[in-house]
Amino acid sequence: MITGLDHVLLAAPSGSEDRLRAFYGGVLGMTELPKPPGLAARGGCWFGSGTCVLHLGIERDFRPARKAHPGILVTGLDALAARLAAHGTAVVPDDELPGYRRFHTEDPVGDRLEFLEPE
């Protein structure tokens, strides 16, 4: 029986860890989580905030996810949108999901992200 979701993995290109840390840790304010030594050798990085855990894994033939994406629940959606815009990240509002305010954006390697807040 499924009891929950442990994490979501997004792919990233080799050598992108500094950009990912600046975005997920710096702009989004997530905490970088330690990787087990065997997995740390593969590159990438992990982040968490609240119950949200994202693993950014290195993929040799990386192509950003354009449709698939995590839906990340937040409080203060407008403040987050303003923070992203201030850092040069495009924010695309979307009002098509009843009961939520939301927008889509991309991380520094082009993976799609959705941020949403219940109304």
Side-chain angles (χ1 to χ4, degrees), residues 39-73:
L39 297 177
R42 299 179 188 176
C45 35
W46 295 357
F47 297 92
S49 181
T51 62
C52 179
V53 177
L54 298 175
H55 292 182
L56 288 295
I58 300 304
E59 186 171 61
R60 186 179 355 185
D61 296 326
F62 170 74
R63 279 172 279 167
R66 297 290 183 199
K67 181 76 173 169
H69 63 274
I72 302 170
L73 288 171

Side-chain angles (χ1 to χ4, degrees), residues 12-21 42-45 57-59 109:
S14 180
S16 64
E17 289 89 349
D18 287 344
R19 290 184 292 154
L20 296 170
R21 286 183 177 102
R42 299 179 188 176
C45 35
I58 300 304
E59 186 171 61
V109 299

